[in-house]
Amino acid sequence: MGFLDIDNTTKSYGAVEVLHKVDISVEEGEFLVLVGPSGCGKSTLLNMIAGLEEITSGEIRIKDQVMNGVHPSKRNIAMVFQSYALYPNMTVGQNITFGLEMHGVPKPEREKAMHEVAALLQIDKLLDRKPGALSGGQRQRVAMGRALVRNPDVFLFDEPLSNLDAKLRVDMRTEIKKLHQNLGTTIVYVTHDQIEALTLSTRIAVMNGGYVQQLGTPQEIYDKPANIFVATFMGSPAMNVIPAKVEIENGRPVACVALHDGTVTTLPFSQDNMAEWQGKDILLGVRPETITDEDAADRKSKNIAHLTNRVVVTEPAGSDTFVSMTLGNRDVIARMRSDAEVRPGADFTFAVNMEKAVAFDPATEKRIPA
Amino acid sequence: MSVASQDTAIRTGRVTRMLIYLVLLLFVLFYMLPLYVMLVNSVKPLNEITGGGMMNLPQVFTLEPWAKAWSSAQIGVEPTGLRPYFWNSISMVVPAVAISTVLGALNGYVLTKWRFKYDTILFGLMLFACFIPFQIVLIPMARMLGLMGMAGSVWGLVLVHVVYGIGFTTLYFRNYYAVFPTELVRAAQIDGAGFFQIFWRILLPSSGPIAVVSIIWQFTNIWNDFLFGASFAGPTSQPMTVALNNLVQSSTGVKEYNVHFAGAILAALPTLLVYIVAGRYFVRGLMSGSVKG
Amino acid sequence: MASNAHADFRSRLQVWLPKLVLSPSLAMVLVFVYGFIIFSVYLSFTDSRLLPSYGWVGWENYSKLWRLSHWEISLTNMGVFAVLYIGICSILGLGLAIFLDQKIRGEGFIRTIYLYPMALSFIVTGTAWKWFLDPGIGLENVMQSWGWTGFEFDWIKNRDFAIYTVVLAAVWQTSGFVMAMFLAGLRGIDNEMLKAAQMDGASNWNLYRRIIIPQLRPAFLSAFVILSHLAIKTFDLVIALTGGGPGRATELPATFMYSYTFTRNQMGIGAASAVIMLMTIAAIMIPYLYAELREKK
């Protein structure tokens, strides 16, 4: 039993099931991020935890209390909305204390709680203003203050940073993370931004098409994606997925990959069990940062493979240079240091860290476990 | 007015522009003509009108027709003037407008923020009710008012106007609340506010403009109604429009055109005032009754 | 619902409250609109005269109705009135809207004047036009007193022309509103597209004919629906302007229904005529409302 249990929960609209048997158990103090493309069901799931949408089947429990059919205000949760949902006709102070007022908390206590939260979020000077007079970042803080003041069991965040500009988003991200570390609250956070998911969470549920594709720590999700969807959704630029054939060379399994001119090169696997796939096609998953020049190759790796291939385009991006080439008839991106001497149209020898490479079954698109 | 004043990219030549202004001016005269006729003839003695001077400014200025229309003209059998009927209209319009607007606001709130299966169909049923030819309900309504003991009373008319007005008021509030952020309602739900608290504390404070639209529309419609007034009002509850028609159509005695014109202006004055003061909202109401969304 | 057992009373009340709040309005509409419609339809099949009575006569009222020359005149008048009223209002409304959309000085003032008739009661409008068009004291008399002694304008007293005076007054009352609808449509058209068309060398005439007016289709549709429903419902204006006369020259279905039901004590026939009016409006309004409400989803 966790702190927040989502137990075999489904959601249907009429005959259409939009969320299929979701099963997640969240421990106290955890920061769970639900991430996925729009329409994957992540917001629906969050709304079901909040009590804003009915649960079709299964159970949601908070502290072992079944929440099905319980009014949102009786679940001891708080929510920060994408639009912040600040009441336009009330001042910041009234916005923050509205929930306490509705729960019959006496005024002196409300005032005290409000000032504490305002101090914590550094919005004490804004308490008498109306939301219309605030900047995006300030509204964001007020929305968080409104959630914090209730001292709830679970915080729910619905894409809270998506309305902020890029710079502010990064600042607020750090701030939410600090808040979580200092207060140790339990958080469920919905986003479509995989970087937010990776940076904030203690655990991630990657969702697509109403299914949880993978549930795990950020590291697990990044290094051992359960399937091609997770592999390509998490990480930017996306993981390269290259069609390859498994052969045995010098007693070890290798991936045979076509270069730009059709000649085949081999990349030795680190996983011994890939030998079982001898003669079969697979999809090789290689993250861009594991394809580098020789000098930048990971020295701790015991399996660096080399391949020489024609460079198609180079895209300098300040700290890195992205280099694209054709491998297995696909565009493949390598992430190089900015000082790497790469010219478009010329051949270049790349170092591939095969220790980090993963393989997928092309039929099921699932990762072949090591 | 509510029409957005964005400039067109179209450019026109000098002569064309002159012609356009000329046409626009001609139509200004056309639209002003009846008002001019009513105004000038309501302040001149009758013989100036019958002598072919309808279009002339008054030679002798008199407020006598106004006084007569207001307090002593023969309406039906009583020489009461329009005054009692004016008050009939007021006491009918005020409650009818208030009740239909409150109901419309609540309906709009439910239909947008508490959606349920078939809610659009129910709304469609309410909306269609605005457009039916009211002849279809005249006979049963007369019976029903009789059964309810409200026949010939002001309250009967109030009921009638509420029933056939809520379609429009619901339409206004529904369209207005449809673009009101639902997240605010959800946030208030999580904060523990109930159905009526959310309405009262969150939606209503932002509903000023649409409430004005609804009130003005209902006021104009109900004030100007003739069919229901003529069908259901008793001698002591007739609204202004019915009384004006009686005054003008009465076939006894000399036709006092100047009194008729003064009476017509009196009947038009309240809605005209509303239009002049809050025309923007009036047009908005008109438009959302036709071009929705 | 998996387990409602945990739902407390307040939560359940909150679920029902919205429907509870909607129900009085809904009940009123169901009884006073749809119930009454059914009742009227029923009456149209009975021998009701002065008061509702419940002797079933089948289609008799309808066949009587269609044999009445009075009804035939009403329908013919309706046809003439509707075609002219809708046509003139649309053309005038569109023309004035286009003219007003040329960066006109004092546009707000002009708009206010074009639209004020919409705020008036048809009884007021009828009264004003009735006396203005009256040959005895109105336009004809004025012209003659100004020296044009041969001037004649007696349409309102002339059986063949009286219906056109109804059209005139009705157009005066609503054309400004139609203008506002078209103006809103014009203002909704993307200016960049017009600039692009101008760069393509389109003249103003072509700009309107080929690009702008075709895009006003929704406004045309709305105008048509609103005007046709107003036309069918026209009642007060005729009562105030001509009283249906001279003779029956300006009778419309709405006045026909009223006089058969309440002054001629032929309630069954009156109800039958009301049913026909309803059917006509329903044929126009239902598809329109259906389309409007569907788009919203």
Side-chain angles (χ1 to χ4, degrees), chain C residues 213-226:
Chain C
I213 293 176
Q215 288 193 62
L216 291 178
R217 261 178 55 155
F220 272 108
L221 181 67
S222 301
F224 173 76
V225 170
I226 296 295

Side-chain angles (χ1 to χ4, degrees), chain A residues 135-138 161 164-173:
Chain A
S135 70
Q138 289 169 331
L161 301 182
L164 299 176
D165 63 49
K167 163 106 173 58
L168 206 52
R169 195 178 308 166
V170 175
D171 294 347
M172 288 308 294
R173 204 167 71 197

Side-chain angles (χ1 to χ4, degrees), chain A residues 131-181:
Chain A
L134 303 182
S135 70
Q138 289 169 331
R139 282 180 211 185
Q140 171 70 57
R141 281 166 198 274
V142 175
M144 291 203 327
R146 188 168 66 180
L148 280 171
V149 79
R150 300 264 313 276
N151 197 15
D153 291 333
V154 182
F155 282 94
L156 307 174
F157 285 83
D158 189 5
E159 308 222 11
L161 301 182
S162 56
N163 282 348
L164 299 176
D165 63 49
K167 163 106 173 58
L168 206 52
R169 195 178 308 166
V170 175
D171 294 347
M172 288 308 294
R173 204 167 71 197
T174 317
E175 215 153 309
I176 292 175
K177 183 135 195 175
K178 269 194 217 153
L179 215 57
H180 175 244
Q181 277 171 1

Side-chain angles (χ1 to χ4, degrees), chain A residues 58-364:
Chain A
E59 271 185 0
I60 289 179
R61 294 183 297 272
I62 297 175
K63 285 180 161 176
D64 282 342
Q65 297 280 313
V66 178
M67 288 295 145
N68 298 38
V70 176
H71 192 264
S73 65
K74 300 267 164 77
R75 297 186 177 206
N76 203 18
I77 48 151
M79 189 154 167
V80 176
F81 291 87
Q82 180 171 11
S83 67
Y84 318 134
L86 300 179
Y87 311 125
N89 53 303
M90 301 183 197
T91 64
V92 166
Q94 287 167 330
N95 262 285
I96 291 175
T97 54
F98 184 70
L100 296 178
E101 189 191 332
M102 289 294 117
H103 282 83
V105 177
K107 194 156 190 211
E109 276 178 55
R110 295 203 307 253
E111 296 276 313
K112 188 165 163 278
M114 176 183 80
H115 285 294
E116 276 172 19
V117 166
L120 180 70
L121 291 167
Q122 299 157 345
I123 48 174
D124 11 15
K125 295 207 170 55
L126 308 174
L127 288 173
D128 293 325
R129 293 214 203 149
K130 289 272 175 76
L134 303 182
S135 70
Q138 289 169 331
R139 282 180 211 185
Q140 171 70 57
R141 281 166 198 274
V142 175
M144 291 203 327
R146 188 168 66 180
L148 280 171
V149 79
R150 300 264 313 276
N151 197 15
D153 291 333
V154 182
F155 282 94
L156 307 174
F157 285 83
D158 189 5
E159 308 222 11
L161 301 182
S162 56
N163 282 348
L164 299 176
D165 63 49
K167 163 106 173 58
L168 206 52
R169 195 178 308 166
V170 175
D171 294 347
M172 288 308 294
R173 204 167 71 197
T174 317
E175 215 153 309
I176 292 175
K177 183 135 195 175
K178 269 194 217 153
L179 215 57
H180 175 244
Q181 277 171 1
N182 295 341
L183 302 176
T185 46
T186 311
I187 295 178
V188 180
Y189 185 109
V190 162
T191 181
H192 64 268
D193 180 345
Q194 48 91 22
I195 297 182
E196 253 172 57
L198 290 168
T199 48
L200 284 171
S201 67
T202 58
R203 255 188 330 150
I204 298 177
V206 183
M207 298 183 65
N208 191 34
Y211 290 96
V212 174
Q213 302 285 334
Q214 188 174 4
L215 177 66
T217 64
Q219 201 64 44
E220 283 166 3
I221 300 271
Y222 193 75
D223 288 343
K224 297 193 169 65
N227 53 38
I228 289 184
F229 173 79
V230 176
T232 50
F233 188 78
M234 303 299 287
S236 173
M239 180 183 264
N240 298 300
V241 177
I242 310 160
K245 193 170 198 176
V246 181
E247 294 297 347
I248 305 290
E249 196 180 77
N250 304 328
R252 292 204 52 82
V254 295
C256 302
V257 180
L259 297 174
H260 75 101
D261 55 0
T263 58
V264 173
T265 190
T266 60
L267 301 165
F269 282 108
S270 283
Q271 301 94 319
D272 295 336
N273 65 337
M274 287 310 294
E276 294 160 22
W277 287 73
Q278 183 185 0
K280 293 183 190 157
D281 290 326
I282 57 142
L283 292 167
L284 185 66
V286 185
R287 293 241 175 244
E289 66 270 21
T290 63
I291 310 176
T292 57
D293 54 2
E294 178 59 38
D295 293 344
D298 186 350
R299 261 171 239 133
K300 280 185 273 178
S301 172
K302 298 188 188 80
N303 187 3
I304 303 285
H306 295 89
L307 61 87
T308 303
N309 202 4
R310 181 73 46 86
V311 172
V312 182
V313 176
T314 66
E315 296 168 79
S319 57
D320 306 299
T321 296
F322 296 104
V323 177
S324 68
M325 63 183 121
T326 307
L327 264 186
N329 269 326
R330 303 268 183 101
D331 286 335
V332 167
I333 309 270
R335 183 177 197 161
M336 322 276 270
R337 297 171 305 164
S338 55
D339 54 359
E341 304 237 337
V342 198
R343 308 239 169 282
D347 284 346
F348 186 82
T349 300
F350 296 91
V352 184
N353 182 0
M354 285 299 285
E355 251 186 10
K356 293 271 188 185
V358 289
F360 300 96
D361 180 341
T364 62

